[in-house]
């Protein structure tokens, strides 16, 4: 998996220097490009959390007063003649913590790239066919307080003989520039994990069928719900491939309205202003 090869998908600001240094190997064909910031609140935004990596049709979020400007950057190139990558991710401007936030966003795709590169070089000289890494970071929510991004990455190995899907999320408190853990959205000591786990299981059972679920991946443990994102209307829960269902299910997701967890959200916390 990309996540294990790179160390972790869930990055913190303190890990940025290591991840970015590892990603920037000289002479590996990596190229980074960025557009000028837009004048609206959101780009690189999909019209739903349910698209896959590389999907077309990015749309802009409606401008939100106090929100930073968001623009797209891209990391692409070749590791070898038979291995290429193309990763797009958002960057922001207009906050007091642009550097920290942008570093955290870039570090997620840098980790994916680092894992891909290591795997490719390990197989160099073998008879493995062409491989590619494709990924997109999508802004699901941005305002003056909170940024939520979902990253979907697809790796095709050996002339598409093997397909790997990975997901990551990033929540950032824009008032401090700090990467958040999901628990920080909720009242300390509240049973938010129990509630979210029960709701997620019910939703996935309806989507996939109870007999399809891997219930150990839905136990009320923070590690099972680390891929948590937010929108203006609620929570988005993403799950790793094979975590909650067979591989045919890909990387499943669950949408929960704020009303389902309103009593558990910290009203003074990063997402409190989103709960009516």
């Amino acid at each position: 998996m990309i996540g294990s090869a790179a160390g972790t998908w869930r990055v913190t600001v303190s890990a940025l220097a290591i991840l970015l240094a590892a990603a920037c190997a000289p002479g590996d064909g990596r190229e980074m490009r960025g557009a000028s910031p837009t004048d609206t609140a959101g780009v690189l935004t999909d019209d739903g959390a349910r698209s896959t990596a590389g999907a077309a049709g990015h749309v802009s979020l409606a401008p939100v007063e106090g929100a930073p400007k968001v623009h797209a950057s891209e990391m692409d190139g070749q590791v070898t003649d038979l291995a290429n990558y193309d990763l797009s991710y958002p960057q922001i401007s207009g906050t007091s913590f642009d550097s920290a936030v942008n570093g955290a966003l870039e570090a997620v795709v840098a980790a994916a790239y680092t894992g891909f590169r290591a795997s490719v070089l390990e197989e160099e000289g073998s008879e493995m066919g062409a491989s590619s890494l494709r990924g997109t970071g999508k802004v699901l929510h941005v305002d003056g307080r909170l940024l939520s991004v979902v990253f979907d990455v697809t790796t095709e190995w050996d002339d598409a003989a093997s397909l790997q899907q990975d997901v990551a999320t990033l929540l950032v408190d824009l008032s401090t520039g700090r990467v958040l853990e999901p628990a920080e959205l909720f009242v300390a000591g509240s049973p938010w994990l129990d509630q979210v786990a029960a709701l997620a299981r019910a939703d996935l059972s309806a989507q996939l069928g109870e007999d399809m679920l891997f219930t150990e991946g839905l136990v009320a443990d923070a590690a099972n719900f680390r891929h948590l994102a937010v929108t203006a209307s609620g929570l988005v829960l993403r799950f790793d491939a094979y975590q909650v269902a067979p591989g045919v299910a890909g990387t499943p997701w669950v949408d929960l309205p704020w009303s389902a967890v309103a009593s558990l959200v910290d009203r003074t916390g990063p997402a409190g202003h989103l709960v009516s």
Side-chain angles (χ1 to χ4, degrees):
M1 298 291 289
I2 289 174
S4 58
T8 180
W9 262 83
R10 182 73 181 177
V11 296
T12 61
V13 173
S14 62
L16 297 182
I18 296 172
L19 286 169
L20 294 177
C24 297
D28 63 2
R30 170 176 160 177
E31 179 182 358
M32 296 181 62
R33 301 194 300 270
S36 298
T38 66
D39 292 328
T40 57
V43 298
L44 263 187
T45 308
D46 190 75
D47 56 358
R50 305 190 173 204
S51 65
T52 57
H58 296 304
V59 298
S60 293
L61 289 171
V64 176
E65 184 177 357
K69 296 176 181 178
V70 183
H71 66 277
S73 285
E74 189 166 6
M75 182 188 301
D76 62 4
Q78 288 184 290
V79 178
T80 68
D81 289 343
L82 292 176
N84 62 80
Y85 56 94
D86 190 346
L87 301 164
S88 63
Y89 58 100
Q91 297 278 268
I92 68 165
S93 62
T95 77
S96 300
F97 305 99
D98 289 355
S99 179
V101 175
N102 289 335
L105 291 164
E106 183 180 326
V108 177
V109 294
Y113 161 79
T114 301
F116 176 69
R117 181 175 185 272
S119 296
V120 167
L121 295 180
E122 185 177 343
E123 297 295 329
E124 193 171 19
S126 70
E127 296 183 359
M128 187 173 74
S131 298
S132 66
L133 175 70
R134 299 287 181 270
T136 306
K138 303 178 182 70
V139 177
L140 297 192
H141 181 80
V142 60
D143 58 29
R145 179 68 190 274
L146 187 63
L147 172 68
S148 179
V149 182
V150 170
F151 297 84
D152 281 292
V153 173
T154 298
T155 311
E156 291 187 351
W157 298 106
D158 195 14
D159 292 326
S162 175
L163 183 70
Q164 176 181 324
Q165 293 178 290
D166 292 282
V167 63
T169 57
L170 200 69
L171 289 167
V172 183
D173 186 339
L174 294 178
S175 70
T176 63
R178 191 169 62 85
V179 175
L180 299 168
E181 294 296 329
E184 295 180 80
L185 303 184
F186 302 94
V187 175
S190 70
W192 72 271
L193 263 175
D194 296 316
Q195 175 79 343
V196 167
L199 292 169
R201 178 166 179 168
D203 188 285
L204 288 169
S205 179
Q207 288 187 51
L208 305 173
E210 183 69 19
D211 58 342
M212 284 278 287
L213 298 185
F214 298 160
T215 55
E216 62 272 19
L218 289 165
V219 172
D221 184 287
N224 284 336
F225 297 93
R226 65 191 182 280
H227 301 319
L228 184 147
V230 305
T231 68
S233 57
L235 300 178
V236 177
L237 310 176
R238 297 294 303 271
F239 299 96
D240 292 325
Y242 301 99
Q243 177 185 341
V244 298
V248 67
T251 55
W253 65 90
V254 169
D255 297 317
L256 297 178
W258 286 118
S259 59
V261 293
S263 64
L264 304 172
V265 174
D266 182 354
R267 299 304 178 95
T268 65
H273 62 291
L274 298 174
V275 181
S276 57

